Amino acid sequence: MSQPNSIVNPEPLFLGFDLSTQQLKALLLTPAHTIAHECAVHFDRDLPHYGTTGGAHHGPVPHEVTSPVAMWLEALDRVVQMVSDAGVSVRDIKAVGGAAQQHGSVYWSTAAPGLLRISTLPARFSTAGPAAFSTPRAPIWQDASTTAECTELEEAAGGAQALADLTGSRAYERFTGPQIARLRKTQPAVYAATAHISLVSSFLASLFLGAIAPIEVSDASGMNLMDVLTGTWSPRLLELCGGPELRTKLGPEPVSGGTVLGRISSWWVQRWGFDPSCVVAPFTGDNPATSAALSGPGDALLSLGTSTTLLLSLPPAPTPPARPTTAHLLAHPAARGASIAMLCYKNGALARAHVAQEDWGKFSAEARAAAPGCAGHMGLWFPLREIIPPGVVGEFFFTHGEGGVKKAEGIPQELRARAILESQFLSVKARVADIIPAGAEKLRRLVITGGASGNEVIQGIAADVFGMDVYVCTTKEAAGLGGALLARYTWWHSQHPGASFEDMLKEAAAVEMRCVARPREEARGVYDGLVDVYRACEADVVAACAAV
C-alpha cells in the first residue's frame, strides 16, 4: 500500500499498543525513545454500539464482568487507520509490541488459525471476527465470579501459601486459571469448542503475527498456572483448572521478552504497507510493561492513583524473593531470572480523599505541619473492603509509646492528613522488607506516579518513610511506552545478542526522571522504628474484622 503523504522519517520506528479496560492506545517510538505519534480509541465514547460501561459488560451472572472481543477488533481497525491518516511512514516500523490488561482471556475456535493465516482477510478485522472465537465474550480482570473455583484450586494445591510459593500468587477471582476452570464447568460445550486460549496480550500479538502467539512469561505470572521460578507451565495446575487438554489449548511454554515471535503477517504488508521484515515482539501485561518503562533493577515504582500499587524490580539473586499471600511475584518481561514483586491496595486515593474532605490545600498544610510519627498516633482507613490486608474495612485508631500499642477512639484532626499517608506508606514498607531476599542489594530509588505524585508534601513524606530519593517521570503513557520499548528491545536484541534491556536503555533513557525529594535522616529513623508498630496495629485490625 503506497503512502504518498507519509512523513519521511530516516530513523526506524517502533509501534507499541496498550489495550486497557477502557481504551486501545497506539504510540510510535523513535530510537531516542521519544514519542513520535500517539492516538487512541475510547471504547464507550467511540464504539457506543457495543453498549459497554467502562469498556465492559456486567452480568448476567452476579459478579461476572466481560468485554466483547469484537469491540477490541474494531478498535484495532480504527486505531491503525488513525496512525495511517496521521501520515506516519508505516514502512519505517521495525517492530510491533504492546501491553494489555492482565488476567483477561480470549477463546479461539478451531477456525482461528486458518483465518489468521489468510493473507486476503477482509479490509477490517472486525468483519472477520466472529468465526474465530468459541465465545464472543472475554472475562476480564474485574470479574469476581470464580470464588468457588479459587477455593477449590487452593485446597487442591495444598493451601493459599503453597499456591503462592508455586505461582507467585494465591488464587484470585480475576486470575486466568480460575476463569478457565469456571468456563469448563459452566459452559462445557464452549470449552470443548475452544482450540486455543490467549491472554488479552497474546491475543493482540496473534493478530499481528497471523498465528496464535505464545503467552509472554511475565503476563503468564498472573494466571495461577505457571511455576513463577522456572517460567514453565505447572502440569498439576493445568490439570486442575482445565483437564488434560488445557496444555494444548495454551500452547508452548511462555516466552521471554526479546524473543522474536516472527515477522508481521502478509495481511499487514498488503493492507497497510508494513515492511515485510517488521518483527512481532511478545506482548505483555500492563503492570510488567509499566515496570519496564519506568524502573529498573533496584527501583521501587509506587503508583498513587485510585488504587495504590507497588512494582518492585528485583534482579536475579541466589535466594528467590518471598511469595507472601498478600503480594504477587511476576517474572520480569525483559530480564531472565529477574522478577517483579507487586502489591495492590484497593483503598488508595479514595481513603486519602475521605480524610481530605475535598480540601486538598488544608490536607497538604496539615500533613506538612505534623511531625513524623504523628506524636504517637496512628490511623488506618479502609473505606472499601481491602485486598491488603484481605477483607478489612472501617476506620481504626491507635496510640503507641513506652506502654506499647493501644486502641484509641480517634485521632486529633490536625494529625489525620499525615497519619493516613504514614499508615499507607508503612504498610508498603513493611511488606517490601518481607519480600526482598536476604543479602540483596538495597533499593536505589522510589519512582512515584499517579494523581497524587505531584503533591510536594506527599513526595517528601514518601522519601522519609521509604528512606529513598523520590523521582517523578514526565510520561503518563507508561504501559504503551513499555510495550513499544519491549518491541524495540526485540528488534535491537536480534542485532546485539547477549545484550540486556538495560544495555539498550543506556543508549537513550526510556523517560525523563526528576528527583523531587530526598529523605531526612532524622525522619527516616523515626519511620524505621514504626514498621513494627504498624504491623501490630494492622494485626489488631485484622483480628477485629475477623471477629465481626
Side-chain angles (χ1 to χ4, degrees):
M1 174 182 172
S2 62
Q3 292 181 301
N5 297 318
S6 294
I7 298 170
V8 177
N9 192 321
E11 294 184 312
L13 295 172
F14 306 95
L15 179 59
F17 289 90
D18 177 17
L19 202 173
S20 67
T21 315
Q22 300 189 43
Q23 66 178 0
L24 174 64
K25 175 165 286 190
L27 62 84
L28 284 148
L29 198 67
T30 71
H33 298 163
T34 58
I35 297 175
H37 178 73
E38 60 184 294
C39 53
V41 173
H42 189 278
F43 301 141
D44 292 0
R45 181 193 65 215
D46 300 326
L47 303 173
H49 44 286
Y50 289 100
T52 57
T53 301
H57 292 147
H58 295 257
V61 176
H63 310 299
E64 186 178 77
V65 185
T66 60
S67 289
V69 179
M71 178 179 72
W72 293 340
L73 293 173
E74 185 171 351
L76 181 60
D77 286 332
R78 289 201 183 195
V79 82
V80 175
Q81 183 69 61
M82 293 164 73
V83 170
S84 179
D85 290 346
V88 172
S89 179
V90 174
R91 196 166 184 82
D92 290 331
I93 297 172
K94 301 301 181 185
V96 179
Q101 53 180 291
Q102 290 194 261
H103 315 301
S105 46
V106 176
Y107 299 82
W108 300 92
S109 71
T110 55
L115 289 171
L116 286 169
R117 278 196 305 270
I118 296 173
S119 61
T120 55
L121 278 173
R124 294 186 176 275
F125 268 118
S126 50
T127 60
F133 306 99
S134 57
T135 176
R137 302 191 302 157
I140 64 170
W141 67 274
Q142 294 172 325
D143 188 284
S145 65
T146 63
T147 302
E149 287 75 20
C150 288
T151 300
E152 293 167 2
L153 182 59
E154 286 188 347
E155 289 177 351
Q161 186 60 63
L163 186 62
D165 286 340
L166 177 59
T167 71
S169 301
R170 66 175 303 168
Y172 284 91
E173 283 87 351
R174 66 186 184 275
F175 274 40
T176 325
Q179 292 289 339
I180 292 171
R182 180 174 179 270
L183 181 77
R184 182 184 180 220
K185 181 191 300 180
T186 61
Q187 301 182 66
V190 170
Y191 188 70
T194 299
H196 301 280
I197 299 174
S198 290
L199 295 181
V200 181
S201 57
S202 58
F203 151 77
L204 196 55
S206 301
L207 300 178
F208 288 95
L209 190 62
I212 304 296
I215 293 173
E216 184 269 341
V217 68
S218 191
D219 213 10
S221 305
M223 299 176 75
N224 281 143
L225 294 175
M226 186 189 78
D227 183 326
V228 73
L229 298 184
T230 65
T232 58
W233 300 122
S234 164
R236 185 178 176 215
L237 296 179
L238 295 186
E239 178 75 27
L240 288 171
C241 290
E245 63 269 42
L246 182 54
R247 181 66 175 78
T248 300
K249 294 179 190 290
L250 287 178
E253 299 289 359
V255 295
S256 299
T259 303
V260 175
L261 298 185
R263 307 294 180 186
I264 198 165
S265 80
S266 59
W267 182 84
W268 291 93
V269 176
Q270 296 174 24
R271 173 67 180 89
W272 294 108
F274 277 79
D275 187 328
S277 67
C278 175
V279 299
V280 179
F283 285 44
T284 190
D286 50 4
N287 286 307
T290 296
S291 182
L294 302 184
S295 64
D299 286 346
L301 175 62
L302 186 64
S303 173
L304 301 174
T306 303
S307 60
T308 295
T309 302
L310 177 84
L311 296 170
L312 191 63
S313 295
L314 301 173
T319 302
R323 281 88 75 200
T325 58
T326 54
H328 307 284
L329 188 71
L330 315 175
H332 197 281
R336 292 180 186 272
S339 54
I340 299 171
M342 185 168 77
L343 301 171
C344 187
Y345 297 79
K346 187 180 294 184
N347 292 286
L350 180 64
R352 293 190 293 272
H354 174 73
V355 172
Q357 294 293 300
E358 299 185 4
D359 191 341
W360 290 103
K362 181 180 179 183
F363 178 92
S364 296
E366 290 182 344
R368 179 185 288 110
C374 288
H377 292 271
M378 188 167 287
L380 286 73
W381 285 264
F382 306 105
L384 299 176
R385 191 168 298 278
E386 187 51 88
I387 302 170
I388 303 175
V392 300
V393 63
E395 299 180 3
F396 306 89
F397 306 104
F398 302 88
T399 59
H400 55 89
E402 293 183 1
V405 174
K406 299 179 180 179
K407 293 181 182 178
E409 292 298 319
I411 190 170
Q413 177 63 41
E414 67 273 14
L415 298 178
R416 291 167 67 90
R418 189 176 193 97
I420 189 170
L421 295 172
E422 289 185 347
S423 65
Q424 287 187 337
F425 292 161
L426 283 168
S427 177
V428 176
K429 181 181 178 75
R431 288 175 167 84
V432 167
D434 292 338
I435 291 170
I436 296 178
E441 294 183 10
K442 290 185 178 181
L443 298 176
R444 60 178 186 169
R445 65 178 180 179
L446 177 69
V447 180
I448 60 173
T449 65
S453 63
N455 185 301
E456 293 182 1
V457 178
I458 292 177
Q459 294 167 356
I461 294 175
D464 289 341
V465 172
F466 291 100
M468 288 186 282
D469 292 350
V470 170
Y471 286 75
V472 296
C473 62
T474 56
T475 183
K476 295 182 179 180
E477 310 303 337
L481 174 61
L485 285 168
L486 291 168
R488 190 199 171 209
Y489 177 58
T490 297
W491 176 80
W492 183 87
H493 187 260
S494 66
Q495 302 170 43
H496 301 81
S500 69
F501 186 73
E502 282 67 39
D503 291 333
M504 182 190 77
L505 294 183
K506 291 174 183 176
E507 295 184 357
V511 293
E512 181 184 345
M513 293 284 182
R514 180 168 55 92
C515 184
V516 294
R518 299 185 186 279
R520 298 172 296 165
E521 196 60 39
E522 66 279 9
R524 176 161 54 182
V526 170
Y527 291 121
D528 285 346
L530 286 178
V531 172
D532 286 340
V533 172
Y534 173 82
R535 286 180 172 137
C537 294
E538 185 185 277
D540 190 282
V541 170
V542 171
C545 290
V548 175

